[in-house]
């Protein structure tokens, strides 16, 4: 065999340091062969996630939290869900990286390096709630295809970046602009380089909001690779699919963006309610915009056993898409009566809010604690599943936990 068929020395030494042991016969590994330890990586180690997270899929990687793992006020990387439609970019070459603004409605095409973005525009930091449109899908009946998210595809991290609006102003936008669409560096599962796994966007109103960022930091550090390094669009309060990871392009469009997963039934729900299992025509499906009001009890964890303790402090988070949560209640009697929780204001628009309550459990036995949020327009979470839809989006039913006093 020719020498070039064998793995290069530099590659071998980096493999050795990855595995932390000498690879005996390493010099005989054929070039292009991925050793097994690389083929079947431990996702928790790979992405720096807590091992109590749930892996829903490995091709592509989809990982969710459990309610009690989301107890932190600001979600740290180890508990942040991962939702991928394609293959995460392998390595980002920052020296040659740029983002290009193009499309029908830019004055002219313009590109920026990361350093230029950071230097030219004011930095802003916001805590922003990102919830996958399919969070809660597992409860729909008839079931919907796709990752069977339970409750853990939501996060609220602190994002730092520049305002998309400021960059769009610098690029120069025509008056006929209606939508922006993102383009990203991840690759399609099929391996087809022409196909984007996902290329979604938002209307100009949302694109030009104060809180809509081109973010380069998450919780004060470089964004972890799985969450969009080196640059991510963050459009809080909308289905998180609008928040493109690894973005390297923005198209400013003179019509609704028509990238992959913008058309057909993806991230759309019937414009008017339908009966469960109904077939819905494409033209009767509407793009999801603001996410509905929702909440999560993050303490205690469901299944908690309380030893003789009849008062219990519960806590969690509530959010309402573009709106604020106005009121938060809990019930210990299966929804017959409701009591108020104390509810904090959001630290900024589009950040989730924290609630807590001292719950009195009258005697020994089994209880369920249900939580219900109401938004500033008076809409509350439903106690049972909301409107069935073909793809299983927007399940904002009340979160419930079970506790026992013994
Ligand atoms: N480039 C790119 N951006 C993407 C996706 C993707 O697959 N590729 N997934 C989207 C979806 S559907 C969701 S819910 C969020 C998940 O963000 P996270 O993995 O950082 O939690 O990223 C969005 N941005
Ligand atoms: Mo998503």
């Amino acid at each position: 065999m020719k020498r070039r068929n064998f793995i290069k020395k530099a590659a071998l030494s980096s493999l050795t340091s990855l595995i932390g042991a000498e690879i005996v016969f390493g010099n005989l590994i054929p070039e292009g062969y991925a050793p097994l330890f690389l083929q079947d990586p431990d996702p928790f180690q790979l992405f720096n996630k807590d091992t109590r997270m749930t892996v829903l899929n490995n091709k592509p990687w989809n990982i969710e939290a459990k309610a009690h793992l989301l107890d932190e006020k600001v979600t740290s990387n180890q508990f942040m869900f991962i939702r991928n439609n394609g293959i995460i970019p392998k390595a980002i070459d920052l020296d040659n990286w740029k983002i290009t603004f193009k499309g029908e409605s830019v004055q002219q095409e313009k590109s920026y390096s990361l350093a230029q973005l950071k230097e030219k525009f004011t930095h802003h930091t916001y805590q922003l709630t990102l919830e996958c449109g399919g969070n809660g899908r597992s409860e729909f009946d008839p079931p919907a295809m796709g990752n069977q998210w339970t409750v853990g595809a939501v996060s609220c991290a602190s994002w730092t970046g520049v305002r998309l609006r400021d960059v769009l102003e610098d690029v120069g936008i025509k008056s006929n602009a209606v939508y922006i669409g993102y383009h990203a560096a991840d690759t399609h599962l099929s391996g087809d380089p022409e196909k984007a796994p996902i290329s979604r966007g938002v209307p100009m109103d949302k694109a030009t909001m104060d809180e809509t960022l081109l973010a380069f930091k998450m919780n004060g550090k470089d964004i972890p690779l799985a969450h969009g390094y080196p640059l991510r669009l963050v459009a809080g309060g909308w289905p998180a699919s609008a928040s493109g990871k690894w973005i390297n392009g923005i198209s400013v469009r003179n019509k609704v963006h028509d990238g992959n997963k913008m058309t057909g039934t993806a991230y759309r729900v019937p414009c008017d309610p339908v009966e469960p299992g109904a077939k819905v025509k494409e033209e009767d499906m509407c793009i999801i915009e603001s996410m509905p009001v929702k909440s999560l009890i993050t303490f205690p964890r469901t299944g908690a056993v309380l030893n003789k303790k009849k008062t219990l402090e519960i806590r969690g988070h509530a959010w309402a898409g573009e709106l604020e949560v106005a009121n938060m209640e809990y019930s210990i009697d299966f929804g017959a009566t409701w009591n108020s929780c104390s509810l904090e204001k959001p630290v900024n628009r589009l950040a989730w809010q924290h609630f807590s309550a001292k719950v009195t459990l009258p005697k020994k036995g089994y209880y369920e604690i249900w939580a219900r949020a109401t938004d500033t327009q008076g809409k509350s979470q439903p106690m049972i599943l909301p409107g069935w839809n073909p793809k299983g989006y927007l399940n904002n039913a009340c979160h419930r936990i079970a506790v026992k006093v013994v």
Side-chain angles (χ1 to χ4, degrees):
M1 239 192 256
K2 281 189 208 128
R3 205 179 116 69
R4 66 181 152 83
N5 286 340
F6 290 90
I7 193 163
K8 298 207 175 60
K9 266 213 176 114
L12 181 60
S13 83
S14 70
L15 283 178
T16 305
S17 67
L18 259 179
I19 203 170
E22 182 197 354
I23 305 177
V24 184
F25 305 122
N27 61 329
L28 299 178
I29 297 176
E31 196 172 327
Y33 175 80
L36 292 177
F37 81 89
L38 284 183
Q39 289 181 32
D40 193 16
D42 172 351
F44 307 107
Q45 230 181 325
L46 190 63
F47 302 121
N48 233 322
K49 299 293 170 188
D50 188 277
T51 53
R52 292 166 290 175
M53 299 281 282
T54 311
V55 177
L56 298 179
N57 195 350
N58 64 348
K59 277 191 181 92
W61 286 110
N62 283 288
I63 299 176
E64 76 165 328
K66 296 181 176 77
H68 68 280
L69 299 179
L70 291 169
D71 193 40
E72 297 167 297
K73 289 196 162 179
V74 179
T75 312
S76 56
N77 176 60
Q78 58 179 326
F79 300 122
M80 181 179 282
F81 78 101
I82 297 180
R83 163 48 171 152
N84 293 325
N85 291 266
I87 310 289
I88 300 177
K90 285 234 159 43
I92 303 282
D93 173 11
L94 212 51
D95 292 337
N96 294 307
W97 182 93
K98 61 183 168 86
I99 180 166
T100 303
F101 288 76
K102 54 195 174 187
E104 302 96 358
S105 298
V106 292
Q107 305 284 3
Q108 81 287 311
E109 230 179 82
K110 194 162 180 180
S111 298
Y112 303 85
S113 69
L114 194 60
Q116 284 169 328
L117 280 183
K118 286 182 177 172
E119 211 175 271
K120 191 153 191 185
F121 305 101
T122 311
H123 298 189
H124 299 272
T125 299
Y126 298 105
Q127 289 176 27
L128 296 166
T129 308
L130 291 183
E131 182 181 16
C132 179
N135 196 22
R137 174 178 291 139
S138 64
E139 289 188 299
F140 281 105
D141 185 28
M145 299 263 285
N147 290 289
Q148 296 301 303
W149 304 106
T150 64
V151 296
V154 60
S155 67
C156 185
S158 166
W159 295 94
T160 301
V162 299
R163 286 186 175 140
L164 177 57
R165 184 179 67 216
D166 291 349
V167 185
L168 290 175
E169 262 167 31
D170 189 66
V171 170
I173 299 304
K174 294 185 190 161
S175 61
N176 65 356
V178 297
Y179 230 88
I180 63 103
Y182 64 75
H183 307 282
D186 48 344
T187 50
H188 199 268
L189 289 173
S190 65
D192 182 347
E194 298 301 310
K195 272 194 192 158
I198 187 168
S199 169
R200 303 200 69 238
V202 293
M204 291 310 288
D205 278 357
K206 179 67 179 168
T208 55
M209 259 180 193
D210 284 359
E211 300 83 5
T212 302
L213 298 180
L214 295 175
F216 41 77
K217 277 184 194 289
M218 180 181 113
N219 297 334
K221 297 199 196 110
D222 283 352
I223 301 174
L225 182 61
H227 296 291
Y229 178 85
L231 193 71
R232 171 174 204 169
L233 178 63
V234 191
W238 285 42
S241 52
S243 293
K245 304 192 277 189
W246 316 290
I247 60 166
N248 52 24
I250 295 276
S251 289
V252 185
R253 308 296 312 266
N254 62 6
K255 57 177 184 183
V256 174
H257 181 57
D258 53 2
N260 194 18
K261 309 232 164 152
M262 275 306 290
T263 55
T265 55
Y267 302 102
R268 291 184 187 224
V269 290
C271 306
D272 296 309
V274 298
E275 65 185 46
K279 287 237 174 335
V280 189
K281 286 200 223 110
E282 225 178 282
E283 65 260 33
D284 296 333
M285 300 284 278
C286 285
I287 299 173
I288 302 168
E289 300 202 326
S290 174
M291 293 293 286
V293 62
K294 197 161 169 181
S295 61
L296 207 52
I297 303 165
T298 59
F299 184 87
R301 62 175 295 171
T302 193
V305 177
L306 311 166
N307 209 350
K308 286 194 198 124
K309 217 179 141 215
K310 290 181 188 146
T311 61
L312 169 66
E313 171 124 6
I314 62 164
R315 60 175 182 259
H317 318 294
W319 59 97
E322 283 289 321
L323 301 176
E324 231 175 77
V325 178
N327 191 24
M328 189 68 217
E329 298 159 292
Y330 72 89
S331 174
I332 58 166
D333 53 13
F334 301 96
T337 62
W338 294 86
N339 301 288
S340 301
C341 300
S342 69
L343 176 67
E344 290 176 24
K345 282 277 182 194
V347 290
N348 53 252
R349 239 176 63 73
L350 312 180
W352 66 16
Q353 295 163 245
H354 316 295
F355 68 85
S356 61
K358 279 208 173 65
V359 177
T360 305
L361 302 167
K363 57 185 206 172
K364 285 184 184 175
Y366 171 91
Y367 297 88
E368 286 189 12
I369 302 174
W370 295 6
R372 180 171 74 183
T374 302
D375 69 24
T376 44
Q377 290 179 350
K379 275 204 182 127
S380 298
Q381 292 182 256
M383 273 184 273
I384 50 164
L385 276 209
W388 182 91
N389 62 87
K391 292 272 180 142
Y393 296 124
L394 307 185
N395 175 4
N396 68 333
C398 289
H399 184 223
R400 296 156 296 171
I401 61 167
V403 297
K404 216 177 239 172
V405 180
V406 296

